Structure formats: structure tokens, C-alpha cells
Amino acid sequence: MRSNQVTIKDIARELGISASTVSRALKDHPDISVETKKAVNELAKNLNYQPNAIALSLKHSKSFSIGVIIPETVHYFFSTVISGIEDIAYEAGYNVIICQSNELYSREKSNAHMLYSNRVDGLLVSLAKETTDFGHLRFFQDNNIPVVCFDRASEEILCDQVIIDDYTAAHRIVSYLIERGHQKLVHLAAPQHLSIGYYRQKGFRDALEKHGLPFDESQVIMADQFEKAIDAVEKLIQSGNIPDGIFAVNDLTALGAMKALKKHKLSIPNDVGVVGFGDGQNAQLTDPSLTTIDQNGYAMGKRAAEILLDRIKNGTANFDPQKYLIDTRLIVRESVR
Amino acid sequence: MRSNQVTIKDIARELGISASTVSRALKDHPDISVETKKAVNELAKNLNYQPNAIALSLKHSKSFSIGVIIPETVHYFFSTVISGIEDIAYEAGYNVIICQSNELYSREKSNAHMLYSNRVDGLLVSLAKETTDFGHLRFFQDNNIPVVCFDRASEEILCDQVIIDDYTAAHRIVSYLIERGHQKLVHLAAPQHLSIGYYRQKGFRDALEKHGLPFDESQVIMADQFEKAIDAVEKLIQSGNIPDGIFAVNDLTALGAMKALKKHKLSIPNDVGVVGFGDGQNAQLTDPSLTTIDQNGYAMGKRAAEILLDRIKNGTANFDPQKYLIDTRLIVRESVR
DNA sequence: ATCGAAATCGCAATCGTTTGCGGTAAACAT
DNA sequence: ATGTTTACCGCAAACGATTGCGATTTCGAT
């Protein structure tokens, strides 16, 4: 039961020297003779000595770990972001503590507290849909722990943001939809207090305007999940007011829309064109495959981690929060005429 | 730059009392007067005091965190496992450090070292495909840190295992395939040193035998990824030796097979029936949708975490490693006649 | 007036590691 | 013989919190 994990003291005792000497020997300090170093290093290897990172953290007030809070790992996009974060953190000798908020504000908050208790050196967060209060993030900032928001950011919290250019991307794919002959459009949207919700909707409206198409509020329908999309499109069909083009705020929502359309024997893309946003791996598997935007989650994760590590290194002194945009790509497939 | 994170000493200084008193007051120790407690708690709240988990870990030689090593979070299955793990850990006040091996032994090993350095109280691991040496896991056991393997386990490392009943599930779905009239079968298999690879293949063979079908080694083809499946099926088609049923070791492999079949205008399921394993969210989106096995990753994650926490609590004294089987479900869709 | 027992609280060690500073011994110079 | 340098190493404090034990005060009891 008692654990026999070997410490610096064990090595010191065995060799009849002091712990400080062992410590210095292990890190090749010039004060220590070569024989002592040799003895220490050999014994350390034999005993399988592994430094206790916890003691180091306490000593240095630095944990060499960063916290990540994301809505849900089950989304392909977020897991690619995680990979990007991990690769950068790993290179720099940091480890990553990942938490899921499950889109719940309460969980996001308690995750934040847990991460603070563990004294992460920095925080990467993608906001839950519910989140409208940011005290838990300001708390980090008040304690000089840098915070970087990615993907799901908000203007109400002042911190570095790494986001995709939602507006431009939305504008682009909606324009594409229009130019391919889809004119009577509907947008399945996310909550507008999230910047992704707002900017994608804005891109949608402006693309309509640019092409001289009229706009009515009824063309924006709040629905950002698979099931919700099914319901929303179902309602549209029932009402007889069927659009000939749908811009969904994300791929899963687009797939939901497609499912409802197929059920009513509406042809995609002939009767209705559908485009999504944020190319997961699903988009290429459907029939027809989905024209969408590649969000490049991996690049976003890398960039966010780089910025955070930079803030950790250089401090948040002359703090001047930046907004970094990640490039997107229009991926043309079969769901548009 | 200097962080102003408030400690117990700050409270003590402010109140003119000792750190020990503050500590005791905060945890309602009977030795402390109600007035002192009140003063301490109020000040702690005002100062936003949060206990330093690192100091606690060091003091108690217990970090209240568990490590998880998985091949890749991008797989739907693994992210559901993570959710299960997190839910249980969260309830018990543990936090979770997730690492990806990216199917690399070297990365798995260095992740393990990192987790040990951070003195996790337990380890949950799903082996990388490459892994055939288990020293990094034995190291944990030698230091009395419990290890539980899930999904990807090996007989060569003695620890608790939480796996699905691969054999039974494979036997079942292959039997289903045969009984629906597919007789000339091929199995796209995973490496045989992984138990999932071995048992799914075994289930395949035994199902053939049970139904009086002949078996030849050429019916088992090593291919366990989307791209590899495309290549493998492509080769089969080129050789003219086209099967009328394919049992893929996982869903993505099945989808790869389907893609190759479709490319050659072979009808699914009329010309070739296809079944997968481990229902991701993809399986229901394809056309035709894929008949497969639901692996129930969430349940697996919960179970694995429960077992680990139990081992942590009760120690690994009279160590008697168990093998726990998670129930699976045959999900009938459209890819079989 | 003296004693004993509560009631409160502080001292100091501890967890594992680092690090400034001081100490010792040998070797060299004067 | 005395002073100075060099090489090597240990002491002790520190990081933040906990905890056994002892110390002090107060108060009622005798």
C-alpha cells in the first residue's frame, strides 16, 4: 500500500550525500565533481528515479500545464483542435488538461475553478452556448493567468481570440449558393450572442444584399443541431414555404436538414441546395456529399496554443488582446446545383 | 508579472493569526472559535481564496487526478469513452488528464512518463496499435499506481481490462450476414496482437464454421483504416475475386470498403453486403446506412473509471486482475440484404 | 487561592525539490 | 607560516498547506 516512489532523498541517503548535491548533480551543475555526478546519475537510473513534477510546480509556482475547456470532444472539429493544441504544448514541454463543459455554463465554471486550483499556467477556452457571464475567466486574468478563447469567443470578455473568419466564409459559401442558382434561401442559425452565430448570420444577410436579393427576418431560423434542424425544416415543408437553398450554421445541422428533405422526397440539390459549415468527416460520407467550409481545426488549435504559450512566457504586461483569424476553404461537393 | 494569487498566509497575515489557524478554520475544525472561523471565511471569500491543489497533492502524496491515454480523440468511439470517464471522475472529485498516443508507441511511452511525473493516482489506457512492450505500464504497477486497460488491451500486461465482448459480437454480426444470404465473405482485420484484432477475427472464423462454410486464410485481409480498406477492396475487385459480404473490423474501414464498391458500381447490399463494428455517428449517415455493432463507449468509459477509482481507494493489495465485458448491440440498418 | 479542564491558538515539521550562501579542505602563492 | 584561490559540498529556507503537540488564557470548581 505504502508507495515506494523514489525521491532525491533516497538517492542522497544511499550515497551518503545531501539532497542538494543530488539535485545539482542531476542537472549537471558545475559545483559537483564528475565522480559524484556519475554515481548519482547511475543510481538514479537504476532506481528509476522520476522527478516529482508536483514538487517542482510548487517550488516554481509554475505547473507546466495548460487547461483546455471545450464544449464536447465528440465533435470532429474540436478533436482536431485538441490535436493541434497537444502537438504544440507537447513540443514545449507542457501538458494539457482537457475538460468538457457539455455546453453547460455551470460545468464550464466548475471546470475553470478546478483548473485554477491546479494552477494551470494558461487557459484555452471555447465557450459553452449557455455562457453569458465571464467572471470565471476574468478571475484567471485577475491572477495573471493568460486566457485565449478559440472558436467560440465573445466580445464581452477581453482576451486573445483565435477564430475563423466566420463572416467572410459565410459570405463566400452563401454567394456560391446564390450564384449556382439558389435564390430563396433560409439560414439555420446558432445563438446570436456567440460570435459564430452572429457573423455567420451577418455573412448570410450581406451575401443576399450583395446579390440584390430581398431579406426577411423569417429567413433566419434558430436551429443549430441535428434534431432541431429536422424539426425546423419539417415545419418549413408543412407550411408550404419551402426554400430552394439552405445555409446551415454547421454540418450536423445541414445533415439534419438533408434528412428532413429526403424524407419528403425533395431532391438535393435539384429542389433544394444545402451547404454546411465546418467540414467534419461526415460531410464527405453523405449522399449527396455536402458542400461546406473547412474550418481547419488543427491549425486553430496550433495557433491558439502558440499564442497562449507566448503570453505565458512574456507575461500579460502591456496587454493588448488580439484577434487572430484562421483561414478557411470552400469545399465544393455535390449538395449544390 | 508577479502573481498575486492569494494563499492561506495572506489571510493569516491580514487577520494577525497563524496559518494553521486559518487552515483549521477553513475546514471547520472544532478547535477554532466561531468568531475566528467567521472572520477567516469572510476574508477568504472576499479575497477569492482558492486552495492550491498542488500543495495539497504534495502534502498528501495524492493528486486526485487520473491519467488517460488513448490512441486518438477524433474517433467518435473514444470521445464517448472520454465522456464516460469524465462523468465518473468528476463525481468523485477527480480530474482527468487526457493524452493522445496517435497510435505511436513512443508517444504512449512519453505520455506515461509525463503522467507519472505528475503523480496521477491511476491510469486508464487504450493501447496504441504499435505497442508490444509494456514496461511503461509495469512501471506504474511497480509504484503501486493502478492501471486499467480499456478497449485495446493485451494479455501480456496483467491488469484490469474493460473490453467489449469482441468475439461474441463479431460472431453475431457475421452470423447475421450469413443468414441473410451472404456466403462468400471477407474480413478486413486489425493487427492480431491486439485483442480486438484477434477476437473479431476469431468470431468471424467460428461463425463461418458454425454455418458450415469453408475458410481460407485469404479471407482475412489486414486493413483497419479507411484508406487501407479502399486499397484492399480495390485489389479484390481487380483480381476478379469479389466477395459478396464484407465484415470490417470497424466502421471507418467498412465505409472505405463501401466507397470502393460504389466506385465500381457494385450495389450494396445486393451485390455485396457490408457490416462494420463500433457504431459511430457516421454509420447512420451513409447511403446505404451501415449495419454494425454498437460498442457503447460511454458505458465502457464509466465502467473503466469506476474500476480504477475502486482500485485507487482499496489499493492493489490482493491484486486479482479482472476482465469486464461491456454489452454490445447489433444495429440493423440497410447494408445487408 | 490553587488546581484542572476547556477553549483557542501557534510552533515546527512535513511533502520533494531548488538555490543562495556559507563552510571545509586541499592546493597554490607569497 | 600565512594568505588566497579553487573545488566541492551541506545547511536551511522556501513553495502552500496540514497536523501532532505543546502553550496560553480563561473560567469554574474546590
Side-chain angles (χ1 to χ4, degrees), chain B residues 188 221-223 227-237 260:
Chain B
L188 301 179
I221 302 172
M222 287 302 144
E227 295 294 343
K228 286 186 186 171
I230 293 178
D231 292 348
V233 172
E234 190 73 37
K235 253 185 212 161
L236 279 176
I237 295 173

Side-chain angles (χ1 to χ4, degrees), chain B residues 18 20-21 24 31 33 36 59:
Chain B
S18 78
S20 14
T21 302
R24 280 187 264 251
D31 265 13
S33 72
T36 306
K59 179 68 184 168

Side-chain angles (χ1 to χ4, degrees), chain A residues 151-152 166 187 189-203 220 222 249:
Chain A
D151 191 51
R152 305 259 203 87
D166 287 292
H187 173 38
Q192 299 296 298
H193 68 270
L194 294 175
S195 55
I196 63 155
Y198 176 73
Y199 285 113
R200 291 180 195 177
Q201 176 265 138
K202 189 83 163 63
V220 174
M222 288 302 144
V249 73

Side-chain angles (χ1 to χ4, degrees), chain A residues 34-62:
Chain A
V34 283
E35 304 98 64
T36 307
K37 279 179 190 167
K38 189 150 164 284
V40 168
N41 281 304
E42 273 180 7
L43 187 58
K45 180 168 283 181
N46 287 341
L47 262 43
N48 246 319
Y49 168 74
Q50 297 282 122
N52 186 322
I54 294 176
L56 288 175
S57 296
L58 182 59
K59 181 69 184 167
H60 292 137
S61 306
K62 183 145 176 40

